Amino acid sequence: MIGLVGSLSRTSATVLALVLLFAALWLGAAIGETAIPMDVVARAVANRLWHAGYPLDPINEGIIWNYRLSRAVVAACCGSALALSGVVLQSLLRNPLADPYILGISAGASTGAVAVAILGFGAGLLTLPLGAFLGALLAFGLVSLLAMRAGRGHGAIILAGVAGSQLFNALTSFIVTKAANAEQSRAIMFWLLGNLSGVRWPDVWLALPVAVAGLIACLWHARALDAFTFGSESAASLGIPVRRVYVVLIGASAMMTAAMVSVVGSIGFVGLVIPHAARMLVGVRHGLLLPASALIGAIFMIAADVVSRVIIPGQVLPIGVVTALVGAPAFAIILGQRGAVR
C-alpha cells in the first residue's frame, strides 16, 4: 500500500485527494434522515454559487445549503485540524498516544470557552475562540510542567495529560453548575460531547482559515518533524531550531484545537487514530503524512457526522460519541502495543 501511494506523482495525488474530499462533502450533503438525490445536491450548489437557476424545492435547497453542506465543511475542517494536531504532538513528544484530547488540550479549550461564554471572562475583550485558545495553552503548559516534574520519560506526559483533562473537565462542570441556568446547562453539556447541529456558514469562515493556516504551518516544518523522529538533540545537530519549532507547532496545534472546540465542542480520539491510519498508508515522512492525515481526518469526520444523524431515527447523536466508539477500541490496541508509552 505504501509503495502504491509512493508511486503516485505529486499532481496525481493532489487531484485524487481533492476528488475524495469533494465526494465526501457531496455525500455529506446528500445523506441524512431525509435522503436527497446527488443531482439535486449538485444543482442546489450551482444555484447558490453560480445562479444557475435550476428549479428546485426550496425546502430541499435550504436543507442542502444552509444545514448539511455548511455542516460537512466544518466537519472536514475539524477532522483535518485535529488529525494534524495529533501528528504534530506525536512527533514532537515521540509518543504514539499523544493527541489534543488525551493531553488535556481539548479540555482546557472547553474550560476557556465556557469561562468566556458563561462567566464573561475577559470583560468582553475575549471572544469564544480566543478564550478557548488561552485555555488550551494553559492546559498544555500545566501538563508539560507536571510531566517534567514526574521525570519518567515520554510516558509521563500521557499520565499528566489524563490528570490535566480531569482537572479542566471538573472546572468546566463547576462553572456550568455554578453559573449557568438550566437551558444553558443542557446546551453546553450537549455541546461538550461534540455537536454540529448549530453549525452554519459563519462558523465555516472561522474553521476553514484556521485549518488551512494550520496545514500550511505544519507542512512548512515537515522537515523539522522528520528530524524530531530521532529526538530533539538529533534535530538540533541537524540545524533545526528546536525551541522555535516547538513554540510554532505547539502554538499551531493549540490554535487549531481551540478553534474547533469553540465551534463544535470537544471531540476525542480523532487526533489519536487518524495519524496511525495515515502512517499505514503513506509511511512516516511528514511531507506525505501531514496532508494524508488532514484528508483522512476530514473524510472520517464527515462520515462520523453522517452516522450521528442517521443511526437513531428522529434524533441526532453527539458526534463525539461516534468518534469515541471508533477511537476507544483503537486506543486500546495502540496502548497494548509493546513500548507504546515508554
Side-chain angles (χ1 to χ4, degrees):
M1 180 65 71
I2 294 175
L4 176 62
V5 174
S7 66
L8 292 174
S9 69
R10 187 179 297 272
T11 301
S12 299
T14 302
V15 171
L16 178 60
L18 290 175
V19 169
L20 291 174
L21 180 58
F22 282 120
L25 291 170
W26 198 350
L27 290 171
I31 301 174
E33 188 175 355
T34 301
I36 297 177
M38 301 285 285
D39 62 317
V40 174
V41 174
R43 290 171 183 170
V45 173
N47 284 348
R48 292 285 181 160
L49 294 181
W50 301 293
H51 307 287
Y54 291 111
L56 296 176
D57 183 346
I59 295 178
N60 283 342
E61 188 170 357
I63 290 174
I64 293 167
W65 184 259
N66 296 319
Y67 176 66
R68 290 188 184 173
L69 189 58
S70 59
R71 183 170 175 152
V73 173
V74 171
C77 294
C78 182
S80 295
L82 293 178
L84 288 170
S85 298
V87 172
V88 168
L89 293 173
Q90 289 169 14
S91 299
L92 292 182
L93 302 177
R94 299 178 64 202
N95 194 307
L97 300 182
D99 90 318
Y101 190 81
I102 293 173
L103 294 184
I105 298 176
S106 294
S110 299
T111 302
V114 169
V116 171
I118 294 181
L119 298 180
F121 185 76
L125 299 178
L126 293 180
T127 61
L128 202 68
L130 184 55
F133 178 68
L134 294 176
L137 287 180
L138 177 62
F140 186 77
L142 177 61
V143 168
S144 299
L145 180 62
L146 288 174
M148 285 189 294
R149 291 182 64 87
R152 294 186 301 184
H154 294 288
I157 199 166
I158 301 299
L159 301 177
V162 173
S165 293
Q166 294 301 313
L167 172 62
F168 283 96
N169 285 333
L171 286 174
T172 301
S173 299
F174 178 79
I175 293 171
V176 172
T177 304
K178 182 71 175 177
N181 57 41
E183 184 177 350
Q184 287 177 320
S185 297
R186 286 194 297 270
I188 289 175
M189 287 305 179
F190 191 78
W191 169 75
L192 288 174
L193 291 172
N195 179 24
L196 285 162
S197 296
V199 166
R200 298 295 182 265
W201 284 108
D203 299 302
V204 173
W205 310 133
L206 170 63
L208 184 59
V210 169
V212 172
L215 176 60
I216 293 172
C218 293
L219 285 174
W220 187 264
H221 292 89
R223 177 176 172 272
L225 288 171
D226 286 337
F228 273 99
T229 302
F230 305 101
S232 57
E233 293 182 359
S234 298
S237 68
L238 293 173
I240 303 298
V242 173
R243 187 179 299 274
R244 183 183 66 80
V245 170
Y246 261 107
V247 170
V248 171
L249 291 181
I250 292 298
S253 298
M255 175 192 70
M256 289 188 288
T257 302
M260 301 311 156
V261 167
S262 70
V263 174
V264 303
S266 182
I267 297 175
F269 296 106
V270 177
L272 171 65
V273 175
I274 300 303
H276 291 285
R279 287 188 188 96
M280 293 175 61
L281 291 174
V282 302
V284 298
R285 292 187 61 183
H286 288 84
L288 290 175
L289 178 60
L290 288 165
S293 296
L295 175 64
I296 297 171
I299 294 173
F300 173 76
M301 280 294 291
I302 294 172
D305 180 47
V306 170
V307 171
S308 74
R309 282 184 272 145
V310 302
I311 192 171
I312 303 177
Q315 185 176 347
V316 178
L317 193 69
I319 193 171
V321 175
V322 178
T323 60
L325 288 174
V326 175
F331 176 84
I333 293 172
I334 297 168
L335 187 65
Q337 290 179 347
R338 188 173 182 178
V341 296
R342 288 189 302 186

